[in-house]
Amino acid sequence: MYVPPAFAETDTTVLHDFMVQNSFATLVSVAKTTPVASHLPLLLDRTTGPHGRLIGHMARANPHWEQADGQEVLVIFTGPHAYISPSWYHVENAVPTWNYTAVHAYGIFQLDDERDRRLDIIRDYVDFYESEMELPWSLTDADADFIDRLLDAIVGFKMDIHRIEGKWKLSQNHAPERRQGVIHGLMDAGGEQQRRIAELMSLEPTNGEQNPEIAF
């Protein structure tokens, strides 16, 4: 990922928090010469290795797992993003851009496909995603035969992260007064994505040399 120094986020705790909060990710690999992608919710084990481990499952009918097994893969986590109008800078010779947050994680795709492991993975998924529900659903709410059929239809996998990159493109390369103009413009726009980017910008200081020429 192209990450100018002004936009780099390197704090592992911040990156891990982002991955947990934006856990619906894109898993990308290359089969021969063709890129292949699957969109999957993934769980993060922060305690394994220097950068953590990703745990997931996909449909057994999806050929992606066979193509990716043993290969280096890229997992992309995306957060809020928003169009930035040059009118919000209140200066001449400004151009449109896009602010966004993203994390890229790299590692070797490994099958983790024993039946008991698949059951553990599904149980961990349910516990994580149901934890904030008013009436949490549990695996015990389903018939055992149904769960068996479910487990037969999925493949479990893991990926130990050997490299991780974070990009917080939040107008850090602009002067503080320009950034305030962008924050106000985003809040006035009124959308959920715009509001979230404005909130992130308010927490992120101007970083490094001011260089409005930096692009995506």
Side-chain angles (χ1 to χ4, degrees):
M1 177 164 57
Y2 170 58
V3 187
F7 305 146
E9 176 56 69
T10 59
D11 187 309
T12 300
T13 298
V14 172
L15 299 177
H16 279 177
D17 288 346
F18 181 92
M19 294 160 73
V20 171
Q21 294 160 7
N22 302 277
S23 61
F24 189 70
T26 304
L27 171 69
V28 183
S29 65
V30 177
K32 296 182 180 177
T33 59
T34 302
V36 181
S38 291
H39 303 274
L40 306 164
L42 297 175
L43 301 177
L44 174 67
D45 172 6
R46 301 175 188 246
T47 65
T48 299
H51 303 298
R53 168 182 287 174
L54 294 173
I55 299 165
H57 73 276
M58 66 175 69
R60 192 169 293 275
N62 183 348
H64 194 175
W65 63 269
E66 294 180 281
Q67 299 163 352
D69 187 28
Q71 304 298 313
E72 182 173 23
V73 298
L74 162 65
V75 180
I76 301 171
F77 297 84
T78 55
H81 59 90
Y83 172 76
I84 306 301
S85 170
S87 66
W88 296 339
Y89 295 127
H90 303 295
V91 297
E92 295 181 355
N93 299 323
V95 295
T97 190
W98 211 280
N99 279 3
Y100 61 93
T101 50
V103 170
H104 285 193
Y106 304 82
I108 303 300
F109 184 101
Q110 299 175 275
L111 292 182
D112 196 10
D113 199 38
E114 295 295 328
R115 185 188 181 283
D116 287 347
R117 276 298 298 143
R118 277 178 271 146
L119 180 59
D120 287 341
I121 290 170
I122 292 298
R123 184 178 291 113
D124 289 343
Y125 265 78
V126 171
D127 289 346
F128 179 75
Y129 289 107
E130 290 285 332
S131 63
E132 296 183 0
M133 297 294 179
E134 184 176 353
L135 297 173
W137 184 84
S138 168
L139 282 181
T140 59
D141 294 335
D143 294 336
D145 289 344
F146 174 79
I147 297 300
D148 282 339
R149 292 195 299 273
L150 169 68
L151 294 177
D152 288 340
I154 65 171
V155 171
F157 64 87
K158 60 186 177 183
M159 188 197 88
D160 290 349
I161 302 170
H162 66 69
R163 182 159 64 96
I164 188 168
E165 302 172 314
K167 186 172 182 178
W168 268 230
K169 185 179 178 297
L170 299 171
S171 301
Q172 300 98 316
N173 55 313
H174 286 271
E177 60 271 17
R178 288 193 184 189
R179 299 185 76 229
Q180 282 302 313
V182 172
I183 291 171
H184 290 312
L186 288 166
M187 295 301 290
D188 289 344
E192 175 65 16
Q193 296 281 345
Q194 289 88 343
R195 180 188 63 79
R196 291 175 65 194
I197 286 292
E199 290 175 350
L200 287 171
M201 287 182 64
S202 68
L203 299 173
E204 191 79 14
T206 297
N207 185 5
E209 259 183 57
Q210 293 174 17
N211 180 10
E213 302 304 318
I214 292 177
F216 302 105

